[in-house]
Amino acid sequence: MTPPHPPRPSYASGTSAVPLLGDTIGENLARTVASHADRDAVVERATGRRWTYDQFSADVDAVALGLRGLGVGKGDRVGIWAPNCAEWMLVQYATARLGAILVNINPAYRVHELEFVLNQSGVRTLVAAPAFKTSDYAAMIEEVGPRCAALTDVLLLGSDAWEALLETGRAADRTVLTAIGAELSPDDPINIQYTSGTTGFPKGATLSHHNILNNGFFVGELCGYDEEDRICVPVPFYHCFGMVMCNLAATSHGACVVIPAPAFEAKATLEAAAAERCTSLYGVPTMFIAMLDEPSAGTLDLSCLRTGIMAGSPCPVEVMKQVIDRLGMAEVTICYGMTETSPVSTQTRAGDSLDRRVSTVGTVHPHLEVKVVDPVTGVTVPRGTPGEFCTRGYSVMLGYWDEPDRTAEVIDAARWMRTGDLAVMDEDGYLGITGRIKDMVIRGGENVYPREVEEFLYTHPDILDAQVIGVPDEKYGEELMAWVRLREGAPELTADALREFCRGWLAHFKIPRYVHVVDAFPMTVTGKIRKVQMRAEAVDILGLDGT
């Protein structure tokens, strides 16, 4: 009797006829400028400023040479602390030209966090906006500056010092940068991006030219970008979504970056997409929910939109369907990844069926490997079996800045990155993310994945957005609690009413015991829901301190 075939393992590798790029970021930008000098590179809607690729390259070089005049060189850390603006991009590419390491600083940081990041990475030069919204950056910098030993120069955008830097750079010999570029390697560290730090201090993922240039390039390839594309980017530049998946995807293809506003505004984003005839629109799910809820969404001419990316946190199926139907983004894709992997590991393709694009995060990216393993043993599980998502390849970070022990916790000896995310790979290699290992709720011995329950709650006609967490319970260990945002004008939603809606559709142990209606969820600047904070607040809301 012939033995049965063993089950296929949850492993896949990304093949591609398109080779990896061997350039530095500066070399790649120079290639684009040579081919597309007169095409739009950057449009900043808030100020009306525009740059062609030739103009953008000249200003990048001016900033690079101005920084060099301050003594910034290869390996020095340069911090950038500002909302989205053209200067953010200029500093991004200028530091790459010098081989300096750009340190992205979250615009939402306050004194304690700023001081930690400046000292942990050893920032030498800090470029910052003077202020934004309620954040007085200048005052916070003045407070922490004396406690940051490596910090020698602070340049506030728009200040006399910034203008002097530009003037110095414009008067300098641009050919100097050619000589500097000849000494740089694509494998040099070029960027430190701090993880969101929902627990404890954040870690600085250190990324190379090779990491982020190739990841941005292949994101653009799978979106079908060329020099005709115009990308509307409301997501923050300080995060990989903005600076890699948009900026580097655009400049490696000669496309244009459209900055609708310094921070996300649904109306401004849609107006920018319409006015600039954008072909691509980015956002995290909460942004797309806000845009779909914006009254002007039905009146603006968005027929130019072709594609875009929804990423940053799990993408609700119903929201994805509406983005395709109402915004006309027929080729919209979902990307999955993390800061430590530059960030994208999987992506849906334009040719994928609607079902694939609304229910999975796609298949492995070109030139990468992915697998799903048993979280305890590390052994690859059969397809269709949940486990921890791991990835390997050019995109995996060099490590956490100056923290080899924490690096070793997530990257094994074979260079596999353990993501901490729960996933299932189907027979065709498509992956579904079912949640975070830490988010999984164990109720009375039953494993409950919040994502599954959230997806069902989105089918409720009055629910605009939903998040499910586990809260302490004396009998079952944990119980489910649903936090929901209701549509405007919706009637009050009680726990009993929601449970009745779920009954018969979800197993009894998956039905939320508690319901909490909110106007907004606690979240990071990048739109990731802070479930750790929600759980802490829930204990107080429900009076479970003694549980």
Side-chain angles (χ1 to χ4, degrees), residues 90 116 119 291 378 432 472 502 512:
L90 293 175
F116 170 80
N119 279 320
M291 286 188 276
C502 298

Side-chain angles (χ1 to χ4, degrees), residues 322-474:
Q322 289 188 53
V323 166
I324 294 170
D325 293 341
R326 293 177 52 197
L327 299 183
M329 295 165 59
E331 298 177 22
V332 66
T333 71
I334 284 180
C335 290
Y336 161 80
M338 60 192 305
T339 302
E340 291 90 336
T341 56
S342 302
V344 176
S345 297
T346 70
Q347 186 172 352
T348 59
R349 274 61 163 176
D352 285 340
S353 68
L354 178 61
D355 180 63
R356 294 289 198 194
R357 285 189 289 146
V358 299
S359 61
T360 77
V361 293
T363 53
V364 61
H365 235 234
H367 303 288
L368 295 179
E369 297 172 273
V370 296
K371 65 178 179 178
V372 180
V373 305
D374 182 299
V376 177
T377 66
V379 174
T380 304
V381 299
R383 296 199 178 194
T385 305
E388 183 178 9
F389 184 100
C390 300
T391 185
R392 178 169 67 178
Y394 77 82
S395 66
V396 175
M397 66 174 178
L398 301 178
Y400 292 124
W401 182 261
D402 201 27
E403 295 193 275
D405 291 343
R406 295 180 88 178
T407 302
E409 291 173 3
V410 296
I411 301 177
D412 68 18
R415 292 290 297 170
W416 282 101
M417 175 82 203
R418 301 190 66 157
T419 68
D421 284 327
L422 291 163
V424 178
M425 181 185 292
D426 71 15
E427 284 300 319
D428 297 317
Y430 286 84
L431 286 129
I433 303 298
T434 56
R436 295 283 298 169
I437 288 176
K438 292 179 181 177
D439 287 343
M440 186 177 73
V441 179
I442 303 177
R443 181 194 181 279
E446 297 278 5
N447 292 349
V448 181
Y449 301 101
R451 173 74 187 279
E452 179 187 358
V453 182
E454 290 161 1
E455 291 288 2
F456 177 74
L457 296 183
Y458 274 106
T459 66
H460 191 292
D462 295 332
I463 291 178
L464 186 66
D465 202 355
Q467 298 293 324
V468 173
I469 58 173
V471 295
D473 184 77
E474 191 171 333

Side-chain angles (χ1 to χ4, degrees), residues 234-281:
V235 296
F237 285 156
Y238 98 88
H239 187 264
C240 271
F241 202 169
M243 72 162 290
V244 178
M245 296 162 66
C246 176
N247 296 354
L248 287 168
T251 60
S252 61
H253 289 87
C256 175
V257 175
V258 175
I259 308 169
F264 174 66
E265 299 172 24
K267 185 177 181 181
T269 300
L270 293 171
E271 289 176 344
E276 293 296 330
R277 307 302 297 163
C278 290
T279 58
S280 179
L281 174 60

Side-chain angles (χ1 to χ4, degrees), residues 478-543:
E478 286 185 286
E479 264 290 8
L480 294 184
M481 181 182 190
W483 287 38
V484 298
R485 290 175 55 217
L486 299 180
R487 299 188 187 280
E488 188 173 350
E492 180 183 354
L493 181 66
T494 64
D496 286 342
L498 187 66
R499 283 196 293 269
E500 184 60 33
F501 178 78
C502 298
R503 199 164 287 122
W505 295 94
L506 292 178
H508 71 90
F509 60 86
K510 296 179 183 178
I511 297 176
R513 177 177 178 183
Y514 306 105
V515 174
H516 181 48
V517 178
V518 296
D519 294 326
F521 302 116
M523 62 181 64
T524 67
V525 169
T526 58
K528 292 183 179 179
I529 305 298
R530 294 177 62 89
K531 287 195 171 181
V532 170
Q533 182 178 336
M534 289 169 60
R535 280 189 284 268
E537 291 182 15
V539 168
D540 292 333
I541 293 168
L542 300 173

